[in-house]
Amino acid sequence: MQSKETNQNSVPAGRSKEWNYHPKLPIAMSPVFDIPPKPKATIAWLFGTWLKLSPPVNHLVFALLAVAFLLPSSSDMQSLDASWMLQIAAIFFGTVIFLGSALHVYLYVFASQKMRLKFDVRPMEKSSRFTFGDQVWDNVFWSLTSGVVALTAWNIFYFFFAANGWAPTLSSISASPVWFVAFFFVLRFWQSFHFYWIHRLIHMPWLFKNVHHLHHRNVNVGPWSGLAMHPVESFFYFSSIIIHLILPTHPLHVMFHMFSLSLGALISHAGFDKLIVRNKESVNAGSFHHQLHHRYFECNYGSEEIPLDRWFGSFHDGTVEATQRIRARKKLIFAPK
């Protein structure tokens, strides 16, 4: 399907009535699935974030360190022993606490880049609708007691199965080097595909009201908002790991995937387009595509890798026209039957 996005009415990056900062509008989605094919744009999209300091590279670094120095041995994980399960828990609790705290302190406590590149002008809230009456502590609580608990449980489940030969594994990189490299890209698209459909599911009225609403209390998001989810949502979100029960996988793939889901959620909800270090825009951070979802709810259920939102009519490109269309769509969804 051909993209409907054009540059005829593009709006340069800057401020607007709705946003303190926004990237150039309309925002784009991946050209990988455009018809006719756009090979140059596709290659630029696929490798653009991989060849510079950005979230996928950061996730791979964390994964390399975890596999090399922290992951229990396969023989240890053949039995359900508390020692290695606690080791898995320590990996994920440690990395989430480290990155979540670092981002929050840098962006919100020290306000190191003030409001530069911040999407929403509003600060984190203190309100009775949040647990403890405080948005930050609410988010920290649900991230650790729901998000990271589900993340840890799914990983214990997978590694126990893999260690006992009940899941296909890739014993070494040399066994299939082409598949080893290609699978990292497969994971990016699988993660996008899985997230879209799980997200659409929990936006069904009953599940939204009783489950997903907890996450959507965060209209203005911060790093800790990313994993602040109801336990049912956390279970479904990290169920993306099931692909490793079907396709041959190396531990590095699994850890990369899990860090993409966990640490990636912290970064994508940072609330800032990029991190500014020494007065230079250094690292891609928050996702304006997903920020639009938190503002307008019934749009951008997926991510930019697969344009499912564009195909199913729920894509918000950041323009005023898109806001009007999504608001009309929301009225239809919640209209009395």
Side-chain angles (χ1 to χ4, degrees):
M1 183 177 290
Q2 176 63 50
S3 169
K4 296 180 181 179
E5 297 151 20
T6 68
N7 294 320
Q8 294 178 348
N9 299 309
S10 62
V11 178
R15 296 188 179 187
S16 67
K17 293 180 179 179
E18 293 80 18
W19 304 102
N20 173 67
Y21 170 84
H22 63 74
K24 184 178 179 180
L25 303 177
I27 58 173
M29 297 197 78
S30 167
V32 174
F33 296 92
D34 280 356
I35 298 176
K38 300 175 181 176
K40 289 185 178 179
T42 295
I43 292 172
W45 179 277
L46 289 175
F47 289 94
T49 57
W50 289 81
L51 300 179
K52 59 185 178 181
L53 190 61
S54 63
V57 176
N58 298 337
H59 305 155
L60 186 57
V61 170
F62 274 100
L64 284 166
L65 292 173
V67 171
F69 301 109
L70 302 173
L71 195 66
S73 67
S74 180
S75 59
D76 288 340
M77 294 188 283
Q78 288 178 347
S79 62
L80 292 174
D81 184 83
S83 61
W84 74 263
M85 291 191 287
L86 288 172
Q87 199 169 334
I88 294 290
I91 291 172
F92 291 112
F93 274 93
T95 51
V96 167
I97 290 172
F98 167 75
L99 185 60
S101 299
L103 286 170
H104 179 74
V105 168
Y106 183 79
L107 293 171
Y108 293 91
V109 177
F110 291 158
S112 300
Q113 56 191 71
K114 297 183 172 57
M115 295 296 291
R116 291 176 63 187
L117 305 185
K118 188 177 189 300
F119 299 131
D120 199 309
V121 70
R122 293 169 292 181
M124 296 291 98
E125 293 183 53
K126 293 187 182 297
S127 168
S128 59
R129 65 195 179 97
F130 291 104
T131 309
F132 314 117
D134 186 286
Q135 183 180 4
V136 174
W137 287 114
D138 169 284
N139 289 180
V140 172
F141 173 79
W142 289 107
S143 291
L144 298 181
T145 62
S146 173
V148 185
V149 167
L151 169 64
T152 300
W154 271 113
N155 276 272
I156 289 171
F157 167 77
Y158 167 76
F159 281 114
F160 175 68
F161 261 59
N164 283 282
W166 303 332
T169 57
L170 196 62
S171 57
S172 66
I173 298 173
S174 59
S176 183
V178 174
W179 173 247
F180 177 82
V181 173
F183 195 53
F184 284 106
F185 292 93
V186 171
L187 285 173
R188 293 295 304 280
F189 290 105
W190 162 250
Q191 185 177 329
S192 180
F193 179 83
H194 176 271
F195 178 62
Y196 176 85
W197 291 110
I198 290 298
H199 205 172
R200 286 303 300 260
L201 173 66
I202 59 177
H203 265 265
M204 294 176 65
W206 188 89
L207 284 172
F208 184 90
K209 179 180 179 181
N210 293 282
V211 173
H212 193 42
H213 173 71
L214 189 149
H215 182 69
H216 262 288
R217 293 185 300 189
N218 299 287
V219 177
N220 174 34
V221 298
W224 283 106
S225 305
L227 293 178
M229 297 181 283
H230 187 282
V232 172
E233 180 176 356
S234 296
F235 173 84
F236 283 126
Y237 179 68
F238 289 111
S239 69
S240 180
I241 200 174
I242 61 175
I243 193 174
H244 301 283
L245 299 174
I246 301 168
L247 298 176
T249 292
H250 189 276
L252 190 60
H253 293 134
V254 181
M255 298 306 290
F256 170 78
H257 187 188
M258 294 299 100
F259 283 137
S260 294
L261 290 173
S262 55
L263 305 185
L266 303 181
I267 297 170
S268 66
H269 288 75
F272 289 75
D273 189 59
K274 293 180 178 64
L275 300 185
I276 298 174
V277 181
R278 295 183 178 178
N279 210 34
K280 182 180 179 181
E281 297 179 10
S282 302
V283 184
N284 291 335
S287 165
F288 188 66
H289 178 275
H290 193 65
Q291 188 89 21
L292 286 162
H293 174 76
H294 274 268
R295 174 70 67 88
Y296 301 113
F297 287 30
E298 300 302 330
C299 64
N300 296 3
Y301 302 107
S303 62
E304 297 96 322
E305 275 73 21
I306 303 180
L308 287 162
D309 282 295
R310 194 174 70 204
W311 296 343
F312 290 102
S314 54
F315 177 47
H316 194 314
D317 62 10
T319 62
V320 173
E321 293 76 15
T323 297
Q324 294 170 345
R325 177 173 54 81
I326 294 301
R327 282 175 172 164
R329 181 176 182 275
K330 188 175 179 180
K331 287 181 180 179
L332 287 175
I333 292 173
F334 292 99
K337 303 300 181 187

